[in-house]
Amino acid sequence: MEKFATVRHVEGSKFDATTESGHTVRLEGGAKETGGSPMEMLLAALGGCSAVTIVEFLTKMRQPFTSLEVELSGERAENPPRVYTAIHAHYRIGGDVSEDRVARAIDLTEQKYCSVYTMLAKTAEMSHTVEFV
């Protein structure tokens, strides 16, 4: 098995997670003064995976988008391990783009190419909306 991340204790409930590519992110439980919680970062990973893939498809489809933002919200189970039971992605897309092409890019992202989405869909009900700005 390959190593992809290392998490090191800094102090209290603060940890630094370093990826294989050398990037470091602060994780924190409790007060979250200097970093996001692991569950917040999971939503951020979903947004990043989705956004990267959608941008790749829109570029290949020659869609002149000017902006893309993914706002994520989630509901968690009441009892431990408190997994996400529902996740909603709200996509805001700017530019002179075809609604059909955007829908196709999102469908491909969610159904086949975003591994974070595929993994989370095993435990959570997934939904999305699109806003053209």
Side-chain angles (χ1 to χ4, degrees):
M1 196 174 297
E2 296 179 43
K3 178 178 95 169
F4 288 101
T6 302
V7 178
R8 289 188 178 85
H9 180 250
V10 176
E11 66 176 333
S13 64
K14 295 178 175 90
F15 298 83
D16 283 342
T18 304
T19 64
E20 178 185 30
S21 58
H23 300 282
T24 300
V25 174
R26 174 66 48 92
L27 301 174
E28 186 172 354
K32 298 179 217 136
E33 296 167 344
T34 60
S37 75
M39 292 301 280
E40 289 173 329
M41 299 308 259
L42 191 56
L43 287 182
L46 172 60
C49 182
S50 297
V52 165
T53 310
I54 290 168
V55 164
E56 287 176 1
F57 281 116
L58 292 178
T59 301
K60 286 179 184 177
M61 294 175 183
R62 294 187 170 96
Q63 293 298 294
F65 71 95
T66 55
S67 63
L68 172 62
E69 180 178 288
V70 185
E71 183 178 279
L72 294 133
S73 56
E75 292 178 21
R76 293 176 63 186
E78 287 186 32
N79 298 316
R82 300 211 56 228
V83 298
Y84 282 111
T85 57
I87 297 173
H88 181 79
H90 181 73
Y91 299 101
R92 284 189 194 89
I93 300 174
D96 185 22
V97 294
S98 159
E99 289 186 22
D100 289 343
R101 295 279 175 106
V102 168
R104 179 72 177 140
I106 291 171
D107 285 344
L108 286 167
T109 296
E110 293 180 346
Q111 303 306 315
K112 187 172 184 179
Y113 291 98
C114 176
S115 54
V116 178
Y117 183 97
T118 301
M119 184 175 56
L120 289 172
K122 293 182 184 297
T123 62
E125 180 180 321
M126 307 294 276
S127 63
H128 76 262
T129 51
V130 180
E131 177 184 355
F132 294 91
V133 295

